Amino acid sequence: MIKGVMFDFSGTLFRIESAAQWLRAVATKVGLDVPEGELDTCVSRLEQFGAQPGGVPPRTVPPHLEALWRERDLTAERHRAAFTALTREAKLPAADLAEALYERSQLSGAWLPYPDAEETLRALRGRGIPVAVVSNIGWDMRPVFRDHGVDDLVDVYVLSFERGVKKPDPRIFQMACDQLGVDPGDALMVGDEPVADVGAATLGCRVHLVDPLPVDQRPRALAEVLQLL
């Protein structure tokens, strides 16, 4: 019987805006006029290097950044350093947009909840099932939940940069279960990453994976979780 549910953040409950929207918003803010064709080229380079937090994973990580990339979620400093360095590798048409883009990725307006996120969290609350958000991340995304009106539906946040341990290490899932007051065998982990999130199975947790599609392409994947309880 499931007595507690853990959710991943990015790609599971929320999804960041497209890389094109991300770049366009920052270019507009700093007064940089980027022609549409050039913007598309810049977006392709950003996606190649996986420079957008919460966006597509990198297809290319330069050798000198590999160690930093592996450790990016362990501290706020490494997270910022990794993503701003990858942005600079993309050679954008301005002296340095890396910091501005990184700051944009932490704004609540850059994140959209999946259509069924609130109803699923609210249904769990109605059933008396506590919820934890367990995320590999380098910044505090609690304000995203508050600004989208769902923070009161989350009981516990277990964030890698605050704990110094990241998924798939079973210790981070154990921390979440301990704070929820449930045995791992009575917990469900819902995520989108088949390596990181499946780490919960090591403890005996059930695991359910969803596809990290854009929000308009995935309307009901979270609501299906309720059928597993």
Side-chain angles (χ1 to χ4, degrees):
M1 179 179 178
I2 299 300
K3 298 179 180 178
V5 180
M6 299 176 283
F7 288 95
D8 176 50
F9 166 56
S10 175
T12 300
L13 290 173
F14 283 81
R15 172 70 186 255
I16 199 166
E17 63 192 347
S18 71
Q21 292 170 320
W22 181 54
L23 178 57
R24 190 178 290 111
V26 169
T28 299
K29 181 178 180 180
V30 302
L32 179 65
D33 183 21
V34 183
E36 199 64 30
E38 187 175 353
L39 185 138
D40 291 343
T41 300
C42 292
V43 167
S44 294
R45 292 203 298 268
L46 287 167
E47 290 183 336
Q48 175 187 349
F49 290 101
Q52 184 187 28
V56 298
R59 297 191 295 272
T60 303
V61 176
H64 67 283
L65 295 178
E66 286 178 353
L68 182 61
W69 175 253
R70 287 194 300 269
E71 298 178 347
R72 67 192 182 280
D73 294 318
L74 293 176
T75 70
E77 293 75 19
R78 292 177 206 173
H79 194 270
R80 178 183 288 269
F83 281 102
T84 53
L86 289 172
T87 297
R88 293 184 182 105
E89 293 289 331
K91 308 294 185 191
L92 299 180
D96 190 1
L97 292 177
E99 292 294 335
L101 284 165
Y102 187 80
E103 294 295 334
R104 168 76 188 175
S105 72
Q106 297 186 9
L107 298 180
S108 297
W111 292 87
L112 292 173
Y114 280 94
D116 54 347
E118 181 175 356
E119 68 174 272
T120 301
L121 293 173
R122 201 166 292 285
L124 291 170
R125 177 55 52 92
R127 297 187 189 191
I129 297 176
V131 166
V133 171
V134 184
S135 177
N136 284 352
I137 198 166
W139 54 281
D140 183 5
M141 71 332 194
R142 292 175 182 88
V144 176
F145 284 77
R146 287 198 295 269
D147 292 343
H148 285 279
V150 293
D151 179 60
D152 63 321
L153 304 176
V154 177
D155 299 281
V156 174
Y157 293 89
V158 181
L159 312 182
S160 62
F161 83 103
E162 294 179 339
R163 306 298 179 118
V165 61
K166 63 187 182 75
K167 301 179 291 186
D169 191 318
R171 289 178 295 170
I172 196 168
F173 302 107
Q174 186 66 62
M175 291 173 187
C177 289
D178 289 345
Q179 288 196 247
L180 290 177
V182 302
D183 185 272
D186 295 325
L188 171 67
M189 175 66 205
V190 182
D192 66 286
E193 220 291 323
V195 174
D197 295 315
V198 172
T202 304
L203 296 177
C205 302
R206 290 180 62 184
V207 177
H208 178 72
L209 295 178
V210 295
D211 196 336
L213 294 168
V215 293
D216 60 348
Q217 297 178 29
R218 207 197 76 192
R220 302 299 299 168
L222 292 173
E224 294 172 2
V225 169
L226 300 174
Q227 301 172 17
L228 304 175
L229 303 181

